[in-house]
Amino acid sequence: MKNLVAFLVLCVVIAQADATRRSCAPRWSWKCPRGWSTYKDRCFRYIPTRLTWAQAELNCRSMKGTLASVHNIYEYRTIQGIIKASCHGYPGTWIGGSDAQQEKLWLWSDGSPFNYSYWCPGEPNNGYGGKQHCLQMNYSGRKCWDDHLCWAKRPSVCARKRKSCLF
């Protein structure tokens, strides 16, 4: 009888583990929420509403993300493609870089390392009397990065990690 009870308990544990495993998709099929685009392990979303940098960051956080960080040229080109698909152009757009905490120390709002940049020639220049502390992409005909006034209103790109479970 003791062995039968142990066997039944083992069967229940295995069945529960199997049910949990089936409720999560394999990593390669992780999905982004509707309205978001996938690139590697993150989801991106273009927000056409013109907001200040801080408002844009808060908006992204309300969607469980942050303003996008960019870590290589392929990711940057992917984000540009998402913007172009949405608005058929390349408007100046907020992403998550800022040096408002300390001049010339650029940080991403998601906390990831600032290990890649695509600054336009002569940027960042902290113009307008030293008041440019927020990063806009698609600046000028070169579609590169520029430090800009954080209170200016721009569209933005949010990013978030992809989720593996559907519950």
Side-chain angles (χ1 to χ4, degrees), residues 11 14 33 41 56 73 101-102:
C11 287
I14 291 171
D41 66 341
I73 190 65
Q101 296 77 18
Q102 182 178 327

Side-chain angles (χ1 to χ4, degrees), residues 32-52:
C32 289
R34 180 172 291 209
W36 294 71
S37 299
T38 303
Y39 180 77
K40 294 196 176 182
D41 66 341
R42 294 196 299 158
C43 305
F44 294 94
R45 184 172 182 171
Y46 175 68
I47 309 297
T49 306
R50 297 171 61 85
L51 302 168
T52 67

Side-chain angles (χ1 to χ4, degrees), residues 51-65:
L51 302 168
T52 67
W53 189 93
Q55 290 169 333
E57 177 67 18
L58 287 173
N59 184 54
C60 292
R61 288 180 185 261
S62 77
M63 295 183 284
K64 299 183 171 121

Side-chain angles (χ1 to χ4, degrees), residues 41-118:
D41 66 341
R42 294 196 299 158
C43 305
F44 294 94
R45 184 172 182 171
Y46 175 68
I47 309 297
T49 306
R50 297 171 61 85
L51 302 168
T52 67
W53 189 93
Q55 290 169 333
E57 177 67 18
L58 287 173
N59 184 54
C60 292
R61 288 180 185 261
S62 77
M63 295 183 284
K64 299 183 171 121
T66 61
L67 283 169
S69 58
V70 181
H71 302 284
N72 58 59
I73 190 65
Y74 307 108
E75 198 168 64
Y76 187 60
R77 297 293 185 225
T78 298
I79 293 168
Q80 285 183 312
I82 293 166
I83 294 169
K84 185 167 190 217
S86 179
C87 67
H88 309 292
Y90 298 97
T93 302
W94 291 132
I95 54 177
S98 171
D99 77 339
Q101 296 77 18
Q102 182 178 327
E103 184 60 33
K104 297 183 182 178
L105 176 61
W106 286 87
L107 303 171
W108 290 119
S109 61
D110 66 5
S112 63
F114 201 94
N115 55 5
Y116 171 79
S117 63
Y118 194 67

